[in-house]
Amino acid sequence: MVNLLSGLFLFLLSMHCFVACLASNTKNITTDKYALLAFKSLITSDPYDILANNWSTSSPICSWVGVTCDERHNRVYGLNLTNMNLRGTISPSIGNMSFLVILDLHNNSFGGQMPKEICWLRRLKFLRFSMNKFVGEIPAALGELSQLQYLRLGINNFNGSIPQSIGNLRRLKLFTVVKNMFSGLIPQTISNMSSLEYVGFSSNYFSGTHSFDIKCVIYDISLLHFI
Ligand SMILES: *[C@@H]1O[C@H](CO)[C@@H](O)[C@H](O)[C@H]1NC(C)=O
Ligand SMILES: *[C@@H]1O[C@H](CO)[C@@H](O)[C@H](O)[C@H]1NC(C)=O
Ligand SMILES: *[C@@H]1O[C@H](CO)[C@@H](O)[C@H](O)[C@H]1NC(C)=O
Ligand SMILES: *[C@@H]1O[C@H](CO)[C@@H](O)[C@H](O)[C@H]1NC(C)=O
Ligand SMILES: *[C@@H]1O[C@H](CO)[C@@H](O)[C@H](O)[C@H]1NC(C)=O
Ligand SMILES: *[C@@H]1O[C@H](CO)[C@@H](O)[C@H](O)[C@H]1NC(C)=O
Ligand SMILES: *[C@@H]1O[C@H](CO)[C@@H](O)[C@H](O)[C@H]1NC(C)=O
């Protein structure tokens, strides 16, 4: 009897933890809303008042400019704020937008480092931070974004070396880092990436020689279409 009771007690205890832990891990559209508000709070300049006027807490986030939602999961699917002349840094909260597939901040003045929390976004397919003012090293955990197809970091001030883990991105089709301050060796694992069609490494401080068996190597930064 004692064993039965203590067994029952342990069972209830574990159920309680199961339910409580599940609830605290459950993300929903409200998680996305907090993440976007945190993102907005670190924008220091919005000259056209795009987010200031449009990202209003009284309207649903899926109607906010640059935000698209996945109707099936009712979560944010895309954040596209290209060409808006925004200045600021990227809130680590972005890592909580767990259904994000597209993150496009091309052609703004975002600075600071790429938050490592971006590597939590396991559904991400398109990451474009090109033509901004980002600095510092890119997180090695980027190599865990197994769905990534486009990684476009050209025309920034990123430095350090390209992490070896990039070679794990089996679905990557386009990888550009042109016109940054990257140094060190370009990881040889790049040659093993079967989906890779375009790479751009020019205008950095890489050392050593490298040769790639890749369809198109971009040398010309005027090919903005690929940056
Ligand atoms: C989101 O989840 C929280 C608990 O984590 C809950 O209180 C809230 O009602 C949920 N919101 C929606 C819109 O489902
Ligand atoms: C925000 O912009 C979107 C797209 O341009 C528009 O549909 C929506 O009505 C705007 N919302 C507000 C509150 O201005
Ligand atoms: C983001 O929006 C711009 C401008 O509307 C568009 O050219 C670009 O293709 C979009 N990015 C993605 C990944 O769809
Ligand atoms: C970048 O965005 C600005 C508007 O903020 C626009 O005037 C400019 O033409 C864009 N540059 C490119 C290369 O798209
Ligand atoms: C992610 O959301 C949780 C609440 O759901 C919060 O406690 C945590 O601080 C958030 N993480 C970041 C990096 O903002
Ligand atoms: C990268 O730049 C930052 C300043 O933005 C500096 O602190 C750091 O030492 C640099 N790292 C390398 C490897 O050059
Ligand atoms: C590329 O893949 C082959 C076969 O899987 C492996 O033997 C080789 O070590 C890999 N090379 C690099 C640089 O990762």
Side-chain angles (χ1 to χ4, degrees), residues 75-88:
R75 294 292 305 275
V76 172
Y77 173 91
L79 180 61
N80 184 344
L81 301 173
T82 52
N83 308 328
M84 290 185 180
N85 220 333
L86 301 173
R87 190 179 300 270

Side-chain angles (χ1 to χ4, degrees), residues 4 33 69 92 120 143 149-150 187 202:
L4 191 67
K33 182 176 187 174
C69 291
W120 298 353
Q149 295 176 13
Y150 300 88
S202 61

Side-chain angles (χ1 to χ4, degrees), residues 48 83-85 107 131 224:
Y48 313 132
N83 308 328
M84 290 185 180
N85 220 333
N107 186 26
M131 292 180 75
L224 267 184

Side-chain angles (χ1 to χ4, degrees), residues 25-222:
N25 285 329
T26 301
K27 295 186 168 65
N28 58 26
I29 192 85
T30 309
T31 320
D32 291 339
K33 182 176 187 174
Y34 283 124
L36 288 172
L37 289 173
F39 180 89
K40 182 183 175 184
S41 74
L42 294 186
I43 289 179
T44 53
S45 171
D46 174 8
Y48 313 132
D49 281 342
I50 298 173
L51 306 192
N53 291 331
N54 187 280
W55 284 25
S56 150
T57 49
S58 56
S59 55
I61 62 171
C62 299
S63 73
W64 289 1
V65 67
V67 176
T68 49
C69 291
D70 168 344
E71 283 174 20
R72 191 159 71 91
H73 297 104
N74 192 30
R75 294 292 305 275
V76 172
Y77 173 91
L79 180 61
N80 184 344
L81 301 173
T82 52
N83 308 328
M84 290 185 180
N85 220 333
L86 301 173
R87 190 179 300 270
T89 54
I90 309 297
S91 166
S93 302
I94 204 157
N96 267 344
M97 298 176 68
S98 44
F99 277 75
L100 204 62
V101 173
I102 293 171
L103 177 56
D104 195 351
L105 303 179
H106 174 75
N107 186 26
N108 283 285
S109 292
F110 286 107
Q113 299 209 4
M114 179 189 292
K116 62 180 188 316
E117 288 78 2
I118 283 196
C119 309
W120 298 353
L121 301 172
R122 298 305 164 88
R123 290 178 174 81
L124 208 59
K125 290 185 180 167
F126 189 105
L127 176 57
R128 183 161 68 152
F129 275 10
S130 45
M131 292 180 75
N132 277 284
K133 297 185 160 55
F134 288 105
V135 299
E137 304 187 21
I138 59 173
L142 271 186
E144 291 165 22
L145 295 176
S146 61
Q147 303 299 314
L148 208 56
Q149 295 176 13
Y150 300 88
L151 179 54
R152 309 175 58 165
L153 307 175
I155 317 189
N156 278 289
N157 293 312
F158 286 116
N159 67 358
S161 51
I162 305 278
Q164 292 282 338
S165 63
I166 292 293
N168 298 336
L169 300 175
R170 298 285 164 211
R171 292 190 168 86
L172 201 63
K173 293 181 189 170
L174 192 155
F175 179 44
T176 46
V177 299
V178 298
K179 206 164 188 300
N180 275 285
M181 295 167 72
F182 286 111
S183 56
L185 293 169
I186 296 173
Q188 272 308 311
T189 47
I190 299 256
S191 340
N192 265 6
M193 298 170 71
S194 49
S195 303
L196 205 54
E197 295 174 10
Y198 299 95
V199 293
F201 294 118
S202 61
S203 301
N204 281 283
Y205 300 97
F206 291 116
S207 51
T209 54
H210 43 264
S211 59
F212 305 107
D213 182 17
I214 288 167
K215 205 158 62 186
C216 182
V217 180
I218 303 154
Y219 292 108
D220 184 354
I221 66 159
S222 69

